[in-house]
Amino acid sequence: MPTRRQLLSAAGLLLGGSAMTGCSSASPAATAARAPVRRVVRGADLSFTLQMEAIGARYRDGGAVAPVERLLAARGANLVRLRAWVAPPAGYSTLESALTLGRRAHDEGCDILLDLHYSDFWADQYSQSVPAAWADQDLGRLVDTVRSYTRDAVAAFARQGTPLSMIQIGNEITTGMLWPAGKVYDRGHEHWDDFVRLLKAGLDGALDGATARLETMIHIDRGGDTGGARYFYDAITARGVTFDLIGLSYYPFWHGSLDTLAANLGDLARRYGKDVLVVETSYPWTLQQADGTEYYAARLDELPDVARFPVSPEGQAAYFEGLRAVVDAVPDGRGRGFVVWEPEWLPGVGWDVGEGNPYANLTMFDWTGAGLPSLAAFRA
């Protein structure tokens, strides 16, 4: 089976060059729901929290044990990102678990970003499997399902008194979503129109379900790839996709140096006139093995800025200071902030049932649950 690193490299061949631009209109109600709320984001994806707590993980930051969202909020975090799968393996991220964690985040004063994968399990640039329960639907029915599913998810957060501040329509959808119906690259050709129908259905559903101002995000994996990011966003805006935020994954061991990120963020902000958010990022604090699983960040030569940011707790903290500076320097104040991916995902819970944790050296807590110096990155 190819490694994630090999698949990312292969996926890099799919995008490049330039395309088109365009826009579309929205109803007054939709426009009001989409009105931007320009709060600078210092966030974390905490989707594994319930699974970690179920195996006894406890977190502390120089004092008593406390829920991880409380510790991060005390450091200045103001947003929690939560993923939802349609029908994942038992115990993994469902809408119900996201609602539970959303209540907890809201109680700590944090905004909520919902990351809908539109899949039963991991969806990203090289895997966007349609949920099994939707597999027999043709494109028209799938469009209706995506809209109603998204509407109901947004409405569920509103009903419990924790309305969403942001929503992602898909996760790392660089190559489409809900394959095969929404697969962009297939048999040597590009198929944007069906993908865009599904994307618009999700955006419409989000605004259908919103009872408060809600920002919509389109998220891809091209943190260090200016050409690839342009190609994607040109293609969807040319087809009338209207959204608020550009969301990027940026992992330096896959996506290049902070300089490449800075160039991409600046280009996107100027080209589309939108805020840009680094919605996934992390950096290693150790190369020591936890459970024998191969790490995604496993070697020094995979880290383009390792001279600036050595693999150590202090080096990890320095990386986040560098990231803050890059985001703050985006032209016209369009750098919206960053979201650390799963800083609480300690060894003991696998990415799948019976598997290990390839991110265990990218946490912001050591393996006893003690906070690392990088937690300072969440300050205002």
Side-chain angles (χ1 to χ4, degrees):
M1 179 178 179
T3 66
R4 179 179 170 98
R5 194 172 299 112
Q6 290 167 332
L7 288 164
L8 279 162
S9 177
L13 300 176
L14 294 174
L15 296 179
S18 61
M20 306 71 59
T21 59
C23 61
S24 69
S25 60
S27 69
T31 300
R34 188 183 284 117
V37 183
R38 293 179 57 82
R39 186 180 188 187
V40 174
V41 171
R42 300 286 184 256
D45 190 313
L46 300 178
S47 301
F48 272 119
T49 296
L50 297 179
Q51 289 169 268
M52 292 306 311
E53 291 174 349
I55 65 166
R58 298 294 180 265
Y59 303 91
R60 61 192 185 281
D61 181 19
V65 170
V68 66
E69 70 276 5
R70 184 173 302 165
L71 297 176
L72 298 190
R75 286 286 197 150
N78 58 16
L79 179 142
V80 170
R81 179 182 187 242
L82 300 167
R83 67 176 165 266
W85 290 315
V86 176
Y92 282 78
S93 302
T94 61
L95 181 61
E96 289 71 25
S97 65
L99 287 163
T100 297
L101 290 170
R103 283 192 295 270
R104 289 171 46 168
H106 182 267
D107 288 347
E108 300 302 329
C110 291
D111 292 338
I112 305 167
L113 163 58
L114 180 62
D115 176 13
L116 292 177
H117 283 225
Y118 301 100
S119 185
D120 286 337
F121 211 34
W122 298 101
D124 49 44
Q125 66 280 5
Y126 52 80
S127 176
Q128 294 280 341
S129 300
V130 68
W134 307 355
D136 63 345
Q137 299 182 13
D138 63 17
L139 181 64
R141 286 184 61 205
L142 201 54
V143 164
D144 292 340
T145 297
V146 167
R147 183 166 185 164
S148 61
Y149 170 79
T150 309
R151 178 199 64 218
D152 293 348
V154 173
F157 278 86
R159 278 196 306 274
Q160 73 170 12
T162 61
L164 300 174
S165 296
M166 297 180 186
I167 187 169
Q168 286 182 224
I169 306 302
N171 186 77
E172 293 187 338
I173 56 173
T174 320
T175 55
M177 60 193 285
L178 291 155
W179 294 352
K183 190 172 187 177
V184 172
Y185 301 95
D186 191 32
R187 295 186 293 275
H189 299 282
E190 297 183 17
H191 308 271
W192 289 97
D193 290 345
D194 290 348
F195 162 57
V196 163
R197 284 187 64 187
L198 294 165
L199 191 56
K200 288 180 178 180
L203 290 162
D204 289 342
L207 298 180
D208 290 344
T211 58
R213 292 189 297 180
L214 176 64
E215 291 187 284
T216 54
M217 180 191 304
I218 305 299
H219 168 216
I220 65 172
D221 69 303
R222 300 280 151 166
D225 180 3
T226 299
R230 274 191 179 192
Y231 193 76
F232 177 87
Y233 289 109
D234 278 359
I236 65 169
T237 54
R239 291 166 174 83
V241 178
T242 302
F243 60 100
D244 298 309
L245 297 168
I246 291 173
L248 298 174
S249 294
Y250 170 70
Y251 297 96
F253 40 93
W254 290 322
H255 300 140
S257 69
L258 275 179
D259 287 344
T260 65
L261 174 67
N264 195 18
L265 295 179
D267 181 78
L268 293 171
R270 287 187 295 264
R271 188 174 182 86
Y272 304 103
K274 296 183 184 295
D275 286 0
V276 290
L277 177 62
V278 178
V279 76
E280 290 187 23
T281 192
S282 59
Y283 198 83
W285 59 272
T286 184
L287 296 182
Q288 179 182 344
Q289 281 291 318
D291 61 9
T293 302
E294 181 187 1
Y295 291 144
Y296 289 142
R299 302 193 313 270
L300 296 180
D301 62 6
E302 297 174 312
L303 300 169
D305 294 321
V306 70
R308 293 176 61 194
F309 313 127
V311 177
S312 67
E314 296 73 23
Q316 183 192 56
Y319 163 77
F320 281 105
E321 293 304 307
L323 177 69
R324 284 173 59 102
V326 164
V327 171
D328 290 346
V330 173
D332 302 320
R334 290 290 190 180
R336 191 60 178 275
F338 62 87
V339 179
V340 184
W341 200 76
E342 296 285 10
E344 87 299 357
W345 187 18
L346 305 180
V349 171
W351 68 268
D352 194 357
V353 178
E355 301 292 341
N357 177 355
Y359 280 84
N361 64 333
L362 302 172
T363 56
M364 297 176 86
F365 296 85
D366 71 18
W367 297 333
T368 72
L372 294 170
S374 55
L375 292 176
F378 291 111
R379 71 188 185 279

